[in-house]
Structure formats: C-alpha cells, structure tokens
C-alpha cells in the first residue's frame, strides 16, 4: 500500500531519507518560533512602544531574507544547493543561539534582539531555494509535486504541533528557552546538509555563465512565470490583513475568547495538514488552471468570515481554506521547477521567495488601516473578495494566452515550458513520463 503511494519515491529516495528528518526537526523549531519570537519581544521591549517593537521583531525575522536574495546573488549563485541550505541553517543556529545566551547574561536589549533576528534570516531565501532545488534535481519531474507536498506537509504539521509545544517550554523556561531549542534544530539541519549528504548525491547542472541577476532576468523574460509570481504576491498580500482583522473580529465583533481564535487557527492548521497529504494525488491535473482555481476557492471560503456567518460555519470555512494553502504552494513551486533551467533554479527560486516573503508582511501592515476604516469584518470581506478577483483576472489572462498560442503560426522550435504553463504543464509531463 505504501509503495503504491505517490509519496513513496520521495520518502524512499536514498538522499531524501537523509534530508527529511533534519528538515522536519528544523520545521518544528520554526513552528515554535511563531509564539516565542513575539513573546520575548513583549517581555524585553519598553512598555511605551511595545506594539511597535513586537511588529518590528516579527518583520525582522522574515523580511531580511528578501534583502539577502537581492544582494547576495554574486556570492551564492553557483553554490551547490546543499551548501545553501547548510549555510542558512548554520547562520540561523548561531544568531538564534546568541539570543538566549545574551538573555541569560542580562545583556539582551530589544535593539540587539531585532538585529539578531534579522541576521538569522539573511540567507533564508537561499536556504529555501536550496531545499527545493535539491528536491528537483534528485527526483524525476513526475515526482516533483509529491516531493514539494512532503515538504509542505512537514511544515503544516509543525504549525499545528509547534505553538502548543512552545507554550509548554515558555511555562517552564521562558521564550528564550524556545529560541535555544530552535537554534539546536537548525544546527541539526546544518549538519544534515553539510556533513550527512554526500557531495555527489545531488546532480550538478550543466555549467552556465549566468550573471547574478539571471534569475530575475529569466522571470522577466517568461510571462508565464512572472505572471505566476505576480499571482502569488497578490494572493499572499491580500491574505496579510487577516492576521490583524481576524483577532479583532473574534474579540470585538463576536465578543469571544482567545479560545475561539485558537479554534480558527487550529482548524486552518488541520486543513493544511490534510491538504498536504492530498496534494500528491493531483499530479495529473493541469497545474496552471488548478493553481488559479485554488486562489478563487480560497477567496470564496474567506468571505463567510466577514459576512456574519455563524462562528461554527466560519471556523469550518477557514479550515477548508487551510486545506487549499499547501496545494497552492506545492503546485506553484512545481511550475517553477518544471519551467526553469536547472542551473538557474536556485536563483529563480530565491527571487520568487524574496517576493513572497515581502507580500504577507506588506499585507499585514495595511491590515491596521483597513480595520480602522472598514472594521474587522469589512477588512475580512475585502480580503476574500480581493483574492477571488485576483484569481478571476489570472484565469482570464491564462485563457487569453492559451487562445493566442493556438492561433499563432509556427515560428520554429517549440518552447515547451511556455506552452506547458499556458496549456497546463502536466500534460507535457504525462507524455514524458
């Protein structure tokens, strides 16, 4: 039964068997950080402007990765993907490990805390690109989606297990102890990729003379990929206000407790775990249209949250939205993997990661003004409707591109990757497999 699963080629691969345990451990650490990073900022920030520092700490832990993707291409573009993951993990282990040490010595100020969080994430876009590049190079194309789904599933499980585990650790040792544990998990990931994975386990691409901006240039030259990246940015940007609006909707509009808010996030997390499991079974679907359909469905499921639906219905809808979250991530990454030359894949994925990393914090930043102007329920309605609209616009663009492709006269050698994205990339994958 297990060997007939689409995930068996992933979990049974000799190289990935070495990699996945380390990735799972570090993902659990990231899941705990969702609570610990903000909680430690609350403890050490000045009371007068605590909210500003909490937001700054959360942003520093993510946004610095986008700067690293933009500025470090010259130094990292030709590095093996295993090194990219290992160096990212080692830097995160060192920077996060310094936080509990300084805290124990009584010398951790809020400014230094934010600086260490930012330093820890400088290489994160490259580390993420390295993980998915390894996946793309060691697996045949037909197994890329299943591989991405495994990584997404591990992350989804971490978002369910990590926060309550962090809560227990905070009760016994404080938030700094959680960051110490997280640093240890990243040290395990660094050892996995720098020591445990043999040098020849991941195939090298053909040599190329690409410049440090080749990944961005390639995205500009390929409308299908740049359109996909634009869709991802808009999708995540429009979801960002939910992080502000949902807690205020629960507390102010519903007059409910923190337990109700926890129910929303727990439902989303459970849905995400199930969605990760199901993703591998849609590999024969047309990936481009499926990705766009997910965006439209996700936005539609968000609408009941701001339209006065009963709380139980809203929680269920939010959980179903969580079911769609991992498939979108896995499908869009698969489209990049199938359409990008192997030599440029780390750069292209790092560029894509940089854009995505910026989108949610920017969306969250406008959540405050939206709630102030529209109320929490109004902001949730706008978020859902905006996501639906973006999906419909993307569907129209995809249909127009497909129509142009059908009516264009042949001009020479076919461009398979563009055609695959316009028509549905997996149609070509099925022929090749």
């Amino acid at each position: 039964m297990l060997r007939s699963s689409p995930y068996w080629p992933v979990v049974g691969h000799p190289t990935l068997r070495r990699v996945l345990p380390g990735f799972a451990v570090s993902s659990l650490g990231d899941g705990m950080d969702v609570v610990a990073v903000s909680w430690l900022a609350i403890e050490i920030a000045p009371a007068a402007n605590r909210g500003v520092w909490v937001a700054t700490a959360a942003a520093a832990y993510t946004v610095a990765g986008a700067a690293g993707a933009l500025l470090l291409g010259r130094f990292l573009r030709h590095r093996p993907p295993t090194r990219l993951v290992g160096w990212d993990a080692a830097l995160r282990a060192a920077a996060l490990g310094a936080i509990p040490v300084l805290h124990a010595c009584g010398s951790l100020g809020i400014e230094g805390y934010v600086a260490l969080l930012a330093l820890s994430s400088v290489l994160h876009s490259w580390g993420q690109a390295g993980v998915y590049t390894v996946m793309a190079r060691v697996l045949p194309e037909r197994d890329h989606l299943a591989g991405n789904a495994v990584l997404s599933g591990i992350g989804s499980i971490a978002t369910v297990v990590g926060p309550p585990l962090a809560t227990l650790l905070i009760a016994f040792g404080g938030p700094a102890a959680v960051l110490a544990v997280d640093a240890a998990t990243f040290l395990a990931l660094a050892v996995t990729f720098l020591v445990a994975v043999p040098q020849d386990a991941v195939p090298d691409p053909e040599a190329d003379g690409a410049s440090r901006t080749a990944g961005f240039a390639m995205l500009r030259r390929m409308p299908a990929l740049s359109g996909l990246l634009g869709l991802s940015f808009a999708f995540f940007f429009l979801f960002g206000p939910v992080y502000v609006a949902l807690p205020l909707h629960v507390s102010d509009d519903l007059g409910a407790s923190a337990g109700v808010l926890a129910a929303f996030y727990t439902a989303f997390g459970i849905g995400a775990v199930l969605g990760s499991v199901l993703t591998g079974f849609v590999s024969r679907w047309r990936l481009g249209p499926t990705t766009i359909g997910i965006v439209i469905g996700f936005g539609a499921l968000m609408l009941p949250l701001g339209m006065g639906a009963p709380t139980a219905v809203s929680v269920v809808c939010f959980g179903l939205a969580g079911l769609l979250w991992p498939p979108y991530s896995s499908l869009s990454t698969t489209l990049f993997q199938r359409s990008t030359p192997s030599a440029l894949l780390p750069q292209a994925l790092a560029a894509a990661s940089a854009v995505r990393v910026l989108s949610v914090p920017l969306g969250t930043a406008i959540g405050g003004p939206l709630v102030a102007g529209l109320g929490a329920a109004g902001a949730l309605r706008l978020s859902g409707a905006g996501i639906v609209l973006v999906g419909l616009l993307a569907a129209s663009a995809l249909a127009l591109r497909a129509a142009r492709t059908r009516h264009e006269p042949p001009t020479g050698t076919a461009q398979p990757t563009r055609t695959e994205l316009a028509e549905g990339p997996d149609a070509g994958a099925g022929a090749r497999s």
Side-chain angles (χ1 to χ4, degrees), residues 191-211:
V191 171
T192 296
F193 276 89
L194 296 177
V195 178
V197 178
Q199 291 289 327
D200 58 352
V202 180
D204 291 325
E206 294 181 2
D208 76 292
S211 70

Short mmCIF file of all heavy atoms in Angstrom, two decimals, residues 191-211:
data_model
loop_
_atom_site.label_atom_id
_atom_site.label_comp_id
_atom_site.label_asym_id
_atom_site.label_seq_id
_atom_site.Cartn_x
_atom_site.Cartn_y
_atom_site.Cartn_z
N VAL A 191 24.12 20.30 10.01
CA VAL A 191 24.93 19.08 9.98
C VAL A 191 24.41 18.11 8.92
O VAL A 191 25.17 17.48 8.19
CB VAL A 191 24.93 18.41 11.38
CG1 VAL A 191 25.58 17.04 11.31
CG2 VAL A 191 25.65 19.30 12.38
N THR A 192 23.07 18.04 8.79
CA THR A 192 22.48 17.14 7.79
C THR A 192 22.96 17.47 6.39
O THR A 192 23.40 16.60 5.64
CB THR A 192 20.94 17.24 7.84
OG1 THR A 192 20.49 16.79 9.12
CG2 THR A 192 20.31 16.40 6.75
N PHE A 193 22.92 18.74 6.02
CA PHE A 193 23.24 19.13 4.64
C PHE A 193 24.73 19.31 4.40
O PHE A 193 25.20 19.12 3.28
CB PHE A 193 22.48 20.41 4.27
CG PHE A 193 21.08 20.15 3.81
CD1 PHE A 193 20.03 20.11 4.71
CD2 PHE A 193 20.80 19.93 2.47
CE1 PHE A 193 18.73 19.86 4.29
CE2 PHE A 193 19.51 19.67 2.04
CZ PHE A 193 18.47 19.64 2.95
N LEU A 194 25.48 19.69 5.43
CA LEU A 194 26.90 19.93 5.23
C LEU A 194 27.76 18.70 5.46
O LEU A 194 28.88 18.62 4.95
CB LEU A 194 27.37 21.06 6.16
CG LEU A 194 26.75 22.44 5.90
CD1 LEU A 194 27.25 23.44 6.93
CD2 LEU A 194 27.04 22.93 4.48
N VAL A 195 27.25 17.73 6.20
CA VAL A 195 28.06 16.56 6.57
C VAL A 195 27.41 15.26 6.09
O VAL A 195 28.08 14.42 5.47
CB VAL A 195 28.28 16.51 8.10
CG1 VAL A 195 29.07 15.26 8.47
CG2 VAL A 195 28.97 17.76 8.58
N ALA A 196 26.11 15.09 6.36
CA ALA A 196 25.48 13.79 6.13
C ALA A 196 25.16 13.51 4.67
O ALA A 196 25.06 12.35 4.27
CB ALA A 196 24.21 13.67 6.96
N VAL A 197 24.99 14.55 3.85
CA VAL A 197 24.66 14.35 2.44
C VAL A 197 25.96 14.28 1.63
O VAL A 197 26.73 15.24 1.63
CB VAL A 197 23.78 15.49 1.91
CG1 VAL A 197 23.49 15.29 0.41
CG2 VAL A 197 22.47 15.56 2.70
N PRO A 198 26.24 13.17 0.93
CA PRO A 198 27.48 13.07 0.14
C PRO A 198 27.55 14.14 -0.94
O PRO A 198 26.53 14.61 -1.45
CB PRO A 198 27.37 11.67 -0.48
CG PRO A 198 26.40 10.93 0.38
CD PRO A 198 25.44 11.95 0.90
N GLN A 199 28.77 14.52 -1.31
CA GLN A 199 28.98 15.57 -2.30
C GLN A 199 28.33 15.23 -3.63
O GLN A 199 27.83 16.11 -4.33
CB GLN A 199 30.48 15.80 -2.50
CG GLN A 199 31.19 16.43 -1.31
CD GLN A 199 30.81 17.89 -1.13
OE1 GLN A 199 30.55 18.60 -2.08
NE2 GLN A 199 30.78 18.34 0.12
N ASP A 200 28.36 13.95 -4.02
CA ASP A 200 27.85 13.57 -5.33
C ASP A 200 26.39 13.10 -5.29
O ASP A 200 25.88 12.56 -6.27
CB ASP A 200 28.71 12.47 -5.93
CG ASP A 200 28.77 11.23 -5.03
OD1 ASP A 200 28.28 11.29 -3.89
OD2 ASP A 200 29.33 10.20 -5.48
N ALA A 201 25.70 13.31 -4.17
CA ALA A 201 24.33 12.81 -4.05
C ALA A 201 23.34 13.66 -4.85
O ALA A 201 22.28 13.18 -5.24
CB ALA A 201 23.90 12.79 -2.58
N VAL A 202 23.66 14.93 -5.07
CA VAL A 202 22.78 15.84 -5.81
C VAL A 202 23.44 16.16 -7.14
O VAL A 202 24.54 16.74 -7.16
CB VAL A 202 22.52 17.13 -5.01
CG1 VAL A 202 21.59 18.06 -5.80
CG2 VAL A 202 21.90 16.81 -3.65
N PRO A 203 22.84 15.80 -8.26
CA PRO A 203 23.48 16.05 -9.56
C PRO A 203 23.71 17.53 -9.80
O PRO A 203 22.90 18.38 -9.41
CB PRO A 203 22.45 15.49 -10.56
CG PRO A 203 21.59 14.56 -9.77
CD PRO A 203 21.55 15.11 -8.38
N ASP A 204 24.84 17.84 -10.44
CA ASP A 204 25.14 19.22 -10.82
C ASP A 204 24.54 19.51 -12.19
O ASP A 204 24.51 18.64 -13.07
CB ASP A 204 26.65 19.44 -10.88
CG ASP A 204 27.29 19.40 -9.50
OD1 ASP A 204 26.63 19.86 -8.55
OD2 ASP A 204 28.43 18.92 -9.38
N PRO A 205 24.08 20.75 -12.42
CA PRO A 205 23.59 21.11 -13.75
C PRO A 205 24.77 21.37 -14.68
O PRO A 205 25.93 21.42 -14.26
CB PRO A 205 22.80 22.40 -13.49
CG PRO A 205 23.56 23.03 -12.36
CD PRO A 205 24.03 21.88 -11.48
N GLU A 206 24.45 21.55 -15.95
CA GLU A 206 25.49 21.96 -16.88
C GLU A 206 25.98 23.34 -16.51
O GLU A 206 25.24 24.19 -16.02
CB GLU A 206 24.93 21.98 -18.31
CG GLU A 206 24.55 20.61 -18.83
CD GLU A 206 24.04 20.67 -20.25
OE1 GLU A 206 24.02 21.78 -20.83
OE2 GLU A 206 23.66 19.62 -20.79
N ALA A 207 27.26 23.57 -16.73
CA ALA A 207 27.86 24.86 -16.39
C ALA A 207 27.18 25.97 -17.16
O ALA A 207 26.78 25.81 -18.32
CB ALA A 207 29.36 24.84 -16.70
N ASP A 208 27.05 27.13 -16.54
CA ASP A 208 26.47 28.29 -17.22
C ASP A 208 27.22 29.53 -16.83
O ASP A 208 27.90 29.58 -15.82
CB ASP A 208 24.99 28.44 -16.84
CG ASP A 208 24.83 29.01 -15.44
OD1 ASP A 208 25.18 28.31 -14.46
OD2 ASP A 208 24.37 30.14 -15.34
N GLY A 209 27.09 30.54 -17.66
CA GLY A 209 27.74 31.82 -17.37
C GLY A 209 26.77 32.87 -16.95
O GLY A 209 26.92 34.03 -17.27
N ALA A 210 25.75 32.47 -16.25
CA ALA A 210 24.69 33.41 -15.89
C ALA A 210 25.19 34.45 -14.92
O ALA A 210 26.03 34.21 -14.08
CB ALA A 210 23.53 32.64 -15.25
N SER A 211 24.64 35.65 -15.05
CA SER A 211 25.00 36.74 -14.16
C SER A 211 24.24 36.59 -12.86
O SER A 211 23.34 35.77 -12.72
CB SER A 211 24.65 38.09 -14.81
OG SER A 211 23.25 38.25 -14.86
#
